[in-house]
């Protein structure tokens, strides 16, 4: 199932003008607050009518301002996980989960299976007011899934949660993505979430699309800085090779060994790593006498000066594309140029635990 | 009711009947208008709002007279209803209409406040889950505004029990037909030796009013607890 969205909408002096496709998998609408992400997702849900455009899921047209099609939200067959869970306070968890079944016939989603997957079996008879934030959000995900959605929409579903609760919810979205049960359109401004979840990224900036494509490409493209240079980072895929006694885990990224603080994942499992550009230092010669553990050789692909004194250098390495944020002065002093061999020095702390996500 | 004279008991029973029907008939319309005022945007909204509140501001005698002009047997609506065999002027049904009109603003205000307190985001969530507008109202909005509906009904009922000016102007003070408790108290005070009857009805009024208030508080608290989701 593919979602095709083309909308134009103005309010005040802000104009939203986007055209993208969300293929199966998890598509993240990524951008700063005010970039128009929520407007897009609400237009898909039918909660907001854009000035003009067309929204379709495979063959079914949800909105076509030219053809005068505008299905009301209840006939769009979608699921929506909001930032706040929005559970119905006067109903039990069970009644919340079953809500859509009163209106949609011919269900495929299995109640017991969804309840088991989300681990909410013990909560069924409780009221939403008696649940923790993380529990509420899990119930909200279950409620959306049991509506048998053609597309699952999620608008910053983790933004209102603390780090521990985020870590509790993230794996469920990963599971949904990997089981490919439902295509997901996920709004986020968190680079860590994007790196961990996205199969496709649509980066929004001031109501326009700054870039779209597979996650590793968009996030690793130094030309795309929808979040500002600070948030730019590369996404690498690595396999857990060993857990060492000194509290470190050894990973293998395309033949390059990387060491990170001890991970919970078992040996042999594949992970996604996010390496923020500002945590990577460059050296022309293979550095010696340095305390950094992770040194990756590569070739300079591109140097992109930023607006300030900084520059983003992208490096092609056997492990994948790595980005480094250095000053333009250093780039000149080192005489960096495209095509030049170079070493990326990654402080192992740069691979933050919340940036390390499991993936099949 | 041994301690009430038959004609006093008659007034109490009539008042209860008038107030019950006034509240019951006004309630669906009250919920609809409160919902329209709280949630919809339409031309003439301020006019409707003013119209609903008019009986609260106008002298009750004026409201009663306007009702007589409109719903009297020679009035535009009254003569039409008469063709269907419905007569309101000088009947207990007219007293119920007067009571309903006078209590309506209080009822609508209470319900409107409770509708405005319902988060529209919950209604959005319900519509995305497949509920049409009617179902969203019935399954989400209505249960959540139950405390407001109860409060509005009790207020409307209490106002109907105490309504005097519009009632006496529109349907007069006919024993057994339109003599409700307040008009009965007034009538007893006009005749020598009527003080003791008036006093007993005053006691009844106070008891009914207090009872209604306590019951509404209790029901509203119960409903609020149910709705708060704990």
């Amino acid at each position: 199932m593919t979602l095709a969205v083309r909308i134009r909408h103005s309010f005040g002096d802000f104009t939203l003008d986007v055209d993208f496709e969300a293929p199966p998998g998890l598509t993240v609408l990524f951008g700063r607050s005010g970039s128009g992400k929520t407007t897009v997702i609400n237009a898909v849900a039918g909660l907001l009518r854009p000035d003009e455009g067309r929204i379709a899921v495979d063959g079914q047209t949800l909105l076509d301002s030219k053809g005068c099609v505008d299905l009301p939200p209840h006939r769009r067959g979608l699921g929506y996980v909001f930032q706040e869970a929005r559970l119905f306070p006067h109903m039990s968890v069970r009644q919340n989960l079953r809500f859509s079944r009163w209106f949609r016939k011919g269900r495929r989603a299995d109640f017991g299976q969804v309840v088991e997957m989300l681990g909410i079996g013990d909560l069924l008879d409780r009221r939403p007011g008696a649940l923790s934030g993380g529990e509420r959000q899990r119930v909200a995900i279950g409620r959306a899934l049991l509506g048998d959605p053609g597309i699952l929409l999620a608008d910053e579903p983790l933004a209102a949660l603390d780090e521990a609760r985020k870590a509790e919810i993230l794996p469920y979205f990963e599971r949904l993505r990997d089981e490919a049960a439902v295509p997901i359109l996920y709004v986020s401004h968190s680079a860590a979430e994007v790196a961990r979840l996205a199969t496709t990224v649509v980066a929004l900036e001031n109501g326009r699309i700054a870039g779209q494509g597979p996650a590793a490409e968009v996030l690793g493209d130094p030309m795309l800085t929808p979040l500002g240079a600070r948030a730019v980072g590369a996404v690498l895929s690595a396999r857990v090779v060993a857990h060492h006694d000194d509290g470190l885990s050894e990973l293998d990224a395309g033949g390059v060994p990387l060491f990170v603080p001890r991970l919970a994942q078992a040996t042999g499992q594949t992970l996604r790593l996010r390496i923020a550009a500002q945590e990577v230092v460059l050296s022309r010669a293979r550095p010696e006498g340095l305390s950094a553990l992770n040194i990756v050789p590569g070739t300079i692909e591109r140097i992109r000066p930023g607006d300030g004194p900084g520059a983003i250098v992208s490096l092609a390495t056997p492990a994948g594309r790595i980005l480094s944020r250095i000053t333009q002065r250093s780039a000149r002093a080192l005489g960096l140029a495209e095509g030049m061999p170079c070493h990326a020095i990654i402080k192992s702390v740069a691979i933050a635990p919340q940036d390390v996500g499991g993936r099949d | 009711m041994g301690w009430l004279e038959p004609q006093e008991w008659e007034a109490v029973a009539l008042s209860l009947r008038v107030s019950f029907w006034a509240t019951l008939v006004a309630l669906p319309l009250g919920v609809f208008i409160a919902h329209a005022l709280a949630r919809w945007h339409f031309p003439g909204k301020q006019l409707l709002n003013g119209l609903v509140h008019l009986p609260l501001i106008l002298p009750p005698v004026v409201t009663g007279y306007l009702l007589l002009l409109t719903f009297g047997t020679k009035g535009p609506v009254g003569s039409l209803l008469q063709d269907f065999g419905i007569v309101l002027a000088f009947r207990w049904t007219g007293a119920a209409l007067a009571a309903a009109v006078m209590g309506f603003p209080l009822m609508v205000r209470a319900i409107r406040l409770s509708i405005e307190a319902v988060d529209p985001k919950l209604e959005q969530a319900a519509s995305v889950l497949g509920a049409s507008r009617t179902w969203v109202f019935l399954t989400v909005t209505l249960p959540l505004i139950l405390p407001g509906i109860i409060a509005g009904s009790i207020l409307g009922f209490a106002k109907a029990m105490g309504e005097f000016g519009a009632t006496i102007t529109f349907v007069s003070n006919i024993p057994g037909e339109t003599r409700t408790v307040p008009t009965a108290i007034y009538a007893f005070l006009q005749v020598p030796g009527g003080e003791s009857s008036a006093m007993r009805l005053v006691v009844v009024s106070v008891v009914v009013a207090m009872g209604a208030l306590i019951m509404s508080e209790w029901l509203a608290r119960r409903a609020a607890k149910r709705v708060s989701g704990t």
Side-chain angles (χ1 to χ4, degrees):
Chain A
M1 255 199 246
T2 298
L3 169 74
V5 178
R6 180 175 54 73
I7 49 178
R8 195 195 304 270
H9 187 67
S10 310
F11 33 86
D13 51 3
F14 180 82
T15 305
L16 178 77
D17 188 356
V18 297
D19 186 352
F20 68 90
E21 281 197 359
L26 193 151
T27 301
V28 174
L29 272 176
F30 181 47
R32 290 197 188 100
S33 53
S35 58
K37 310 179 297 274
T38 300
T39 308
V40 173
I41 205 167
N42 280 342
V44 173
L47 300 176
L48 176 142
R49 183 182 299 183
D51 295 340
E52 63 165 301
R54 186 167 185 282
I55 298 169
V57 179
D58 282 342
Q60 202 202 358
T61 306
L62 304 181
L63 172 93
D64 189 346
S65 51
K66 286 208 180 68
C68 295
V69 178
D70 184 11
L71 290 186
H74 68 274
R75 288 181 51 210
R76 295 198 175 195
L78 305 173
Y80 198 154
V81 180
F82 301 91
Q83 186 172 327
E84 343 75 54
R86 299 197 193 179
L87 300 180
F88 305 124
H90 56 297
M91 299 181 194
S92 68
V93 167
R94 189 193 309 274
Q95 288 168 322
N96 266 283
L97 289 170
R98 288 191 183 280
F99 185 81
S100 66
R101 309 215 149 184
W102 302 349
F103 313 107
R104 293 182 183 160
K105 305 288 172 215
R107 308 295 78 223
R108 284 178 291 121
D110 181 71
F111 186 83
Q113 209 179 320
V114 169
V115 166
E116 194 203 0
M117 178 196 121
L118 293 163
I120 49 181
D122 294 339
L123 311 175
L124 291 178
D125 296 317
R126 301 255 283 280
R127 287 302 186 96
L131 304 181
S132 72
E135 288 170 336
R136 260 180 234 169
Q137 206 53 291
R138 275 189 282 160
V139 173
I141 295 169
R143 185 177 67 172
L145 288 177
L146 286 166
D148 233 353
I151 304 263
L152 182 65
L153 309 174
D155 185 7
E156 309 227 17
L158 308 181
L161 305 175
D162 59 34
E163 287 305 324
R165 299 285 90 71
K166 278 181 192 168
E168 173 189 332
I169 303 296
L170 264 172
Y172 296 112
F173 278 103
E174 283 179 313
R175 218 174 133 180
L176 288 175
R177 173 196 68 199
D178 296 338
E179 287 172 1
V182 187
I184 303 170
L185 183 62
Y186 187 106
V187 162
S188 178
H189 68 261
S190 151
E193 272 173 44
V194 179
R196 183 159 164 183
L197 293 174
T199 44
T200 307
V201 175
V202 176
L204 281 181
E205 195 168 34
N206 293 324
R208 270 153 229 284
I209 291 177
Q212 55 180 317
E217 249 174 60
V218 174
L219 290 174
D221 185 346
M223 295 303 284
L224 286 175
T225 53
L227 293 171
R230 289 185 72 78
V232 173
V235 178
L236 303 181
S237 212
R239 194 168 47 81
V240 181
V241 176
H243 298 296
H244 294 290
D245 293 337
D246 57 355
L248 294 178
S249 294
E250 184 179 344
L251 308 176
D252 175 276
V256 180
L258 293 174
F259 294 90
V260 298
R262 188 60 164 265
L263 298 170
Q265 280 82 355
T267 314
Q269 225 180 313
T270 308
L271 307 169
R272 274 193 197 190
L273 308 175
R274 195 179 106 79
I275 300 168
Q278 57 178 350
E279 300 290 346
V280 178
V281 176
L282 296 181
S283 168
R284 283 187 62 182
R286 168 126 202 132
E288 278 174 25
L290 209 64
S291 68
L293 280 169
N294 297 316
I295 297 169
V296 185
T299 313
I300 296 180
E301 260 182 346
R302 174 169 224 153
I303 303 170
R304 185 198 176 210
D307 298 332
I312 299 284
V313 179
S314 72
L315 215 63
T317 78
R321 181 190 281 148
I322 291 178
L323 301 181
S324 170
R325 178 170 153 76
I326 59 173
T327 59
Q328 291 172 28
R329 180 186 292 235
S330 312
R332 274 194 304 274
L334 290 172
L336 296 183
E338 282 162 24
M340 183 181 279
C342 202
H343 289 84
I345 302 150
I346 307 161
K347 291 179 269 176
S348 53
V349 290
I351 307 169
Q354 70 265 27
D355 287 358
V356 182
R359 199 195 170 201
D360 297 327
Chain B
M1 286 274 178
W3 57 281
L4 280 180
E5 302 285 331
Q7 48 178 336
E8 294 160 24
W9 175 240
E10 197 177 64
V12 171
L14 181 68
S15 255
L16 288 172
R17 178 156 50 128
V18 162
S19 304
F20 173 77
W21 284 105
T23 310
L24 197 72
V25 171
L27 193 57
L29 188 66
V31 172
F32 178 78
I33 294 210
H35 191 256
L37 289 175
R39 284 277 194 266
W40 300 344
H41 300 281
F42 53 92
K45 184 169 164 175
Q46 284 315 312
L47 189 72
L48 178 68
N49 191 35
L51 220 60
V52 166
H53 282 88
L54 211 54
L56 203 62
I57 318 151
L58 281 178
V61 178
V62 174
T63 306
Y65 185 58
L66 289 175
L67 284 174
L68 190 60
L69 288 181
T70 316
F71 292 93
T73 44
K74 295 203 172 61
V77 182
S79 57
L80 196 75
L81 288 174
Q82 200 173 22
D83 295 342
F84 294 94
I86 302 168
V87 178
L88 293 171
F90 308 108
R91 301 288 167 83
W92 77 268
T93 45
L97 176 68
V101 168
M102 293 302 290
F104 202 61
L106 299 173
M107 184 185 264
V108 169
R109 281 180 82 84
I111 298 171
R112 180 182 176 173
L113 280 178
S114 70
I115 292 176
E116 282 169 349
V118 172
D119 190 348
K121 289 174 170 179
L122 290 176
E123 295 167 333
Q124 285 185 345
S127 70
V128 175
L129 284 163
S132 64
R133 279 173 86 154
T134 312
W135 279 113
V136 169
F137 181 78
L138 290 176
T139 57
V140 176
T141 318
L142 198 61
L144 289 175
I145 62 170
L146 211 57
I149 289 181
I150 292 170
S153 307
I154 303 267
L155 276 174
F157 185 85
K159 178 70 191 169
M161 284 295 289
E163 164 45 34
F164 176 79
T167 308
I168 205 163
T169 314
F170 181 33
V171 294
S172 185
N173 190 354
I174 306 160
E177 186 67 40
T178 64
R179 179 170 287 182
T180 57
V181 170
T183 50
I185 292 173
Y186 175 76
F188 283 127
L189 290 176
Q190 302 304 302
V191 294
E195 284 89 351
S196 57
S197 287
M199 207 46 181
R200 284 195 286 275
L201 289 180
V202 166
V203 171
V204 169
S205 293
V206 170
V207 168
V208 168
M210 284 301 290
L213 210 65
I214 290 167
M215 195 168 77
S216 82
E217 287 285 312
W218 182 72
L219 282 172
R221 210 171 311 128
R222 242 183 64 150
K225 204 172 151 190
R226 208 175 74 89
V227 155
S228 72
T230 45

